[in-house]
Structure formats: C-alpha cells, structure tokens
C-alpha cells in the first residue's frame, strides 16, 4: 500500500504521522505556496503536478494505491485535479475536510472573495482586518476608502496588486481570543473578513470579533466535486485507508 496525501493542513500532518507510525508507505505533497511550511512525517514532495494529467502520471509512476485530499477547504483547483486524476487512474480518493465553523446569525456570509470585496466597499466604516490570505489581495486593490490590516504567513508577491492603504502583519496561528482582541483594538478594527476554514487554529478571531461587536464577513467554502467521498476527521480517514485504499493495493 502506498498513499499520497495532498496536504498542507494540520489534519494532513496528523494523518501522515499516524500512517507512518502504522508502517504504511506515505508520500505527502505540498503545493509550495508557503516559504517555510510545517513539514509532515515521512516522505515529502513540494510543488505542483502540472494539472490533472500530470497528477495521473505521477500516481501511475509512483505506484500509488490511494489518494487522500487533505488540502485547505478553499483549494478547489487542487481538489478538482485530484478528482479527475483519480478517475483517470481508477484509484480510490478520499477528501478529508475539517468541519466549517458553525454559522453565526450576525455574520454576513458571501459566496466568494469577489463578493467579500463588494461587501467591504459597501461598509461605511474605516478599518478592516483581512485574513483571507495573500493570494486574494487583488480583489481589494481598488478599495481606497478603507484601511486594511492584512495578516498572512508570507508577504504578497512584489508585482501583485494590494490595497492602497495596507498594513501587513506576517504571522501564523494558533491565536488566542485575548491576542486577537488586543490586535483589533490596536488597529481600531470594525470589520473582519475571513474564509470559513474551520478548525481551532484561527477561530479565536471570531470570538474576539463577537466580544468587540466587530462586523464579520465570512466567505463560504466552494462545493466539493459531485460524488466526492468525504470525511471530517483523521480517525475516519485512517479507517478508509485500511479498507478502500488497502483493497485497491491488494
């Protein structure tokens, strides 16, 4: 049995550690978008595959018997490629996604980053805390009416458009409600923009926003490809590996 984990999340790292400890051959693949990623246990490859066809070629060349897509809930392009590559090769594919944060009636939910940028432009306040990642800054680049506190793991690319009034904070979770509240007070934040990534690593900002009566715009997750087999916990993924992927490699 040889399992490919499409990773980058804490769940992917936990799954790789559990499978490696059980003596299962695992390769973890990271997209390479973070300069200093937290590396999982076992064999690691970094970089893209060249789309679905390239991933299918890799699966065949490496004698992979099962694929677990444990990428970020908003990595829809990777998930689509994994679905197509698994179909081309006839391999079992599981999507491991942590549950989203439960909806709060006070949140303004939007379907995508473009809608989030429109919601910000319509907001009459001044200071915005933007936590959607450096790759989405271009959607807010035409907004000269607000001040943006942008938090990201890595700085944006030098030629990427960014909001004209932007303060950049390089940091990564986990965070605490106390720390998040102090940060929002320091910058006079009145609006928080976040993706519904789920999980405890970055949930503290939502608690702090609630306590400070900060308005929250939440970008909802893109849907999974039709027919996807999905679980929400590492324990469920381990059961799947021992059954579906194990049978495929028998």
């Amino acid at each position: 049995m040889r399992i490919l984990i499409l990773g980058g999340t804490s769940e992917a790292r936990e799954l790789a550690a559990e499978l490696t400890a059980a003596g299962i051959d695992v390769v973890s693949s990271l997209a390479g978008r973070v300069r200093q990623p937290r590396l999982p246990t076992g064999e690691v490859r970094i970089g893209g595959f060249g789309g679905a066809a390239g991933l299918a070629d890799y699966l065949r060349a490496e004698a992979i018997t099962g694929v677990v897509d444990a990428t970020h809930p908003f990595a829809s392009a990777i998930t689509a490629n994994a679905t197509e590559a698994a179909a081309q090769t006839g391999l079992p594919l599981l999507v491991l996604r942590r549950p989203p944060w439960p909806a709060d009636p006070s949140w303004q939910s939007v379907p995508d980053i473009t809608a989030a940028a429109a919601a910000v432009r319509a907001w009459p306040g001044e200071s915005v805390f933007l936590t959607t990642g450096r790759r989405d800054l271009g959607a807010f680049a035409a907004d000269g009416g607000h001040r943006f506190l942008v938090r990201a793991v890595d700085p944006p690319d030098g030629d990427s458009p960014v909001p004209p009034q932007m303060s950049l904070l390089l940091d990564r979770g986990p965070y605490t409600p106390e720390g998040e509240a102090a940060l929002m007070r320091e910058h006079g934040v009145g609006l928080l923009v976040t993706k519904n990534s789920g999980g405890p690593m970055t949930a503290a900002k939502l608690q702090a926003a609630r306590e400070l009566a900060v308005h929250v715009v939440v970008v909802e997750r893109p849907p999974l490809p039709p027919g996807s087999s999905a679980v929400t916990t590492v324990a469920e993924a381990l059961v799947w590996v021992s059954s579906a992927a194990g049978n495929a490699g028998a």
Side-chain angles (χ1 to χ4, degrees):
M1 188 190 310
R2 183 164 165 82
I3 303 299
L4 174 66
I5 300 176
L6 303 174
T9 61
S10 59
E11 292 82 9
R13 292 190 294 274
E14 182 182 348
L15 179 61
E18 292 281 356
L19 292 176
T20 300
I24 295 174
D25 190 8
V26 175
V27 182
S28 294
S29 176
L30 308 181
R33 293 173 179 169
V34 177
R35 294 180 182 177
Q36 293 183 317
R38 292 167 174 159
L39 296 179
T41 303
E43 183 180 345
V44 178
R45 71 172 301 280
I46 297 178
F49 293 95
L55 176 54
D57 289 342
Y58 176 86
L59 296 176
R60 297 186 187 99
E62 293 294 322
I64 301 296
T65 58
V67 182
V68 179
D69 172 10
T71 55
H72 192 275
F74 285 81
S76 55
I78 300 175
T79 296
N81 287 340
T83 300
E84 185 176 341
Q88 289 180 17
T89 57
L91 291 179
L93 168 67
L94 180 73
V95 179
L96 171 57
R97 289 285 187 275
R98 69 182 77 120
W101 294 312
D104 187 300
S106 67
W107 293 353
Q108 180 180 354
S109 295
V110 294
D112 53 39
I113 200 68
T114 301
V120 172
R121 287 194 301 271
W123 180 62
E126 182 179 0
S127 183
V128 179
F129 187 16
L130 189 57
T131 65
T132 55
R134 64 189 177 102
R135 297 173 65 85
D136 291 319
L137 293 178
F140 303 87
D143 189 339
H146 295 94
R147 290 186 294 107
F148 288 87
L149 171 63
V150 173
R151 183 166 66 196
V153 176
D154 291 319
D157 297 332
D159 57 351
S160 298
V162 299
Q165 300 184 76
M166 182 183 83
S167 298
L168 181 62
L169 173 62
L170 299 181
D171 198 5
R172 72 169 91 197
Y175 305 105
T176 66
E178 296 78 15
E180 297 290 69
L183 182 64
M184 292 182 195
R185 290 192 189 97
E186 177 186 352
H187 290 269
V189 169
L191 172 64
L192 167 68
V193 184
T194 183
K195 294 176 177 177
N196 195 340
S197 302
M201 290 279 286
T202 60
K205 60 189 171 186
L206 296 169
Q207 180 178 336
R210 188 180 307 112
E211 294 172 354
L212 298 177
V214 168
H215 185 59
V216 178
V217 172
V218 176
V219 181
E220 296 302 337
R221 297 179 177 188
L224 294 176
S228 296
S229 176
V231 297
T232 60
T233 68
V234 171
E236 291 171 301
L238 290 170
V239 172
W240 180 88
V241 169
S242 66
S243 56
N247 292 335

